[in-house]
Amino acid sequence: MSEQVTFDDLLHEEREFAPSKEFAEQAIVSDDSLYKQSEKDPLAFWEKEARELEWFAPWKEVMEWTPPHVKWFTNGRINLSHNCLDRHLKTWRRNKAAIIWEGENNEIKTFTYQQLHTDVCKFANAMKSLGVTKGTRVAIYMAMVPEAAIAMLACARIGAIHSVVFGGFSPESLSDRINDAQAELLITSDGGWRRGNIVPLKNEADKALENTPSIKNVVIVKRPHGEPFPCRVKDGRDHWYHRLMEEASADCPATELDSEDPLYTLYTSGTTGKPKGIVHTTGGYSVGTYATTKYVFDLKDEDIYWCTADVGWVTGHSYIVYGPLQCGATVLMYEGAPNYPENDRFWEIIERHRVSVFYTAPTAIRAFMKWGHQLPAKHDLSSLRLLGSVGEPINPEAWMWYHKHIGGGNCPIVDTWWQTETGSIMITTLPGYGKAKPGYAGVPFPGIQATILDEDGNEVESGSGLLAVTHPWPSMLRTIWGDDERFVNTYFSKWNKKIYFPGDGAKRDEKGNFMILGRVDDVLNVSGHRIGTMEVESALVDHHLVAEAAVVGRKHDLKGQAVVAFVTLKARATMSDAIKDELKKHVATKIGAIARPEEIIFAADLPKTRSGKIMRRLLRDIADGNALGDTTTLADPSVVEMVREQYEEKYGD
Ligand code: WT7
């Protein structure tokens, strides 16, 4: 890969990539007027965006702020499913493709806006027949099939609060989330395809359902996969989706919700063992996802837009379902893995469907780099006009590769920083105007006010500090489900109750571009997914042979970070590779495969300071190979003692 530009080169060169003249000429935003307007009056900017949606009743105040709590578009009445579907039915778009779905086995299914509307209405009625009403919590545990989007939109239509749980999570993670939200309905499917194998979702869900007393009904989507996939159907509780749909009426007017009625919860990892149910509400989230999708992805009616995320993550919520459908876009949805049947599956899909806007994660880009630029070169990718990146910092090498080998050197790249909590994109470049700089996410989106502060809340002029958002924005989380105190403590206690603390480090160049440096808390980012070290630690100590565990992240070429676990076994256990494997498996069973430790390091006892705090900085050094050389020596008690002493000399207690 001789064309690779190294990070150092980039620091010297300060290369910037402005959009081409052709791109800028057709772009929705091609000058700084949006920035100027929104700087003068951010509320007026959001209000103007809100007016482009349909409201059943207008709002009184744009924003009502009692820090840290905020309400947007107060007393306004709106429905997101209506804005994603009904709004378009009055126009020619009713016959436009809303979702083009490709299954892993090459099946292709297209839903026009009209067809999607019909199915959403039917399924909303089916849910009503199962007792679901406004405010009922509904868990969704599915693969990437159109019915997942239909289920979400059907919930939004009647004001039921969905909680999508990523299909790769374990039964225990699923039951924890169901129980936290007291969900009454679970929607799942018999199976889904992943890399040529069937993922038995319903069988997994059945294990969760042994411990979820709040669940009254289960809906099972039959995933067409040649032969029937066997799963249990419990009489009275479990219902086939297709049967319910046969009986359901297609007439279901959208419920006129209050702007601040909860829309959904989505669980994400934090610094304790218990995931947080992030709560988003209806009006502000609609406006935030609508405006950002329109301006960041520059969506036009001709576009075929593909975001490769899973609906189990916030990216799937905001930028597969709600943002693009509000914009009336054609969304491509793909069920399977990027390397099935071959490593060029994504390029084949882009060529087949003439995808024009493509949004993926750095971890995927790094895998594509490894597989070689010959693979995309085999395909006609000339339909692409805009590329996006999300989930973790994109290293300049990956940025340059993406730009050259996928974008053909002439597609702008939008690197989008945001979070489950922010609901929509916060920092990026606007593709028709901004100059993108590899490694820098860009500047705050219009209407967003962000800066960099030190621990004491002083503005950091140069060098790195903590990213801070200093003013509320419409799509921000409103609370943590059932735990408002944790909401206040986690996000609004670092400086004062007005400033949101996202948990990321950042620095800025002289033009105000933000470079995101990664998490500053005990949260790892593995392949763009957030994993709490405490969650993995609790999973490990849950094993009968484990006395203590400490989990840290190690730099990883493909995943960004990998999970490394330091484990002290109980006296009766002998350290062995077999136990390491068993522990890795145990974590995958308890949480899900994404949390499986890459490496387990046995320690005679965990190095702790005199005050009893685990020396995480040291463990990170060891995991990265920067200290101690041979990690196996940690298994020797005298070495642990020595390490502790050296560490205390270096860093103090
Ligand atoms: C964390 C949020 C946003 C949807 C996917 C992840 C990291 C996200 C970027 C980016 C650098 C990024 C941050 C953030 N992150 N996007 N463009 N550049 N870092 O959502 O699971 O809520 O994770 O992902 O660390 O805090 P999430």
Side-chain angles (χ1 to χ4, degrees), residues 315 391-393 415-420 504 516 519 525 530:
T315 311
E392 57 185 307
D415 177 2
T416 59
W417 176 85
W418 60 294
Q419 310 177 296
T420 306
D504 280 309
I516 311 295
R519 305 288 311 188
N525 189 324
R530 219 196 280 191

Side-chain angles (χ1 to χ4, degrees), residues 551-570:
V551 166
V552 297
R554 163 200 288 167
K555 283 194 211 78
H556 189 279
D557 284 351
L558 290 180
K559 300 178 187 170
Q561 280 190 304
V563 177
V564 175
F566 292 83
V567 169
T568 307
L569 294 178
K570 287 186 181 154

